[in-house]
Amino acid sequence: MVSVIDEAYKIADKNNVILKGNIKLSRNTNCLIFAHYCDSTLFYKKFFKISKDSFKVNKIANKNLREIKKLIKASGYKKVWSKGIFSFYGDLRPLAVKAGFGEWCDDGIIKNDKYGTNFLITAIFYR
């Protein structure tokens, strides 16, 4: 039998997700966390390219979140919410570290062995 997480990961693979994880949080809340590739060059050095790339990644990331939220709701979970790459509420970096996406750098950014700091994080929470 295929689990909801396995199905979510298949959807994520179709939506260019480079890192994915599943974390159990407090009060029976689960979290699926995803990373999409995006160049992390300081935006002011290549402002227009980085801005364009970020909005392109945002579009793909939001598509991924919508499709997986639909799957999770269809699986019977009543409370489902997400955080996109431009979300102002909540810091997803501690969850990314917990999911094994990478380690904290001195400057507060998560660094992965393969992708460096070139990714943006999204998450879906459900219970």
Side-chain angles (χ1 to χ4, degrees):
M1 186 170 128
V2 178
S3 73
V4 174
I5 294 167
D6 291 334
E7 289 184 42
Y9 284 179
K10 286 179 187 174
I11 292 169
D13 289 339
K14 286 191 273 185
N15 288 311
N16 302 324
V17 169
I18 58 171
L19 300 168
K20 48 195 174 276
N22 177 38
I23 305 165
K24 186 89 164 159
L25 303 173
S26 64
R27 290 187 291 160
N28 205 27
T29 301
N30 301 290
C31 174
L32 286 169
I33 187 161
F34 308 100
H36 289 269
Y37 181 85
C38 190
D39 185 4
S40 66
T41 302
L42 294 174
F43 78 94
Y44 60 83
K45 291 188 177 187
K46 296 181 184 177
F47 180 76
F48 292 108
K49 181 185 181 329
I50 298 300
S51 297
K52 181 181 170 189
D53 290 350
S54 296
F55 285 112
K56 191 166 124 180
V57 170
N58 184 56
K59 184 177 179 179
I60 294 166
N62 285 341
K63 180 180 183 280
N64 185 62
L65 293 174
R66 274 192 312 275
E67 291 176 8
I68 295 174
K69 280 173 65 174
K70 184 177 176 181
L71 167 75
I72 292 171
K73 286 180 181 179
S75 298
Y77 290 94
K78 302 293 182 212
K79 183 137 173 107
V80 182
W81 66 102
S82 63
K83 301 291 181 192
I85 66 170
F86 292 127
S87 177
F88 292 109
Y89 301 103
D91 186 357
L92 297 175
R93 293 174 303 164
L95 297 176
V97 171
K98 187 173 181 180
F101 285 16
E103 300 295 324
W104 286 100
C105 292
D106 290 338
D107 57 7
I109 297 176
I110 307 303
K111 186 173 184 178
N112 177 275
D113 290 339
K114 183 175 181 181
Y115 300 105
T117 60
N118 295 316
F119 58 91
L120 297 171
I121 306 165
T122 61
I124 297 177
F125 302 89
Y126 61 99
R127 59 178 139 178

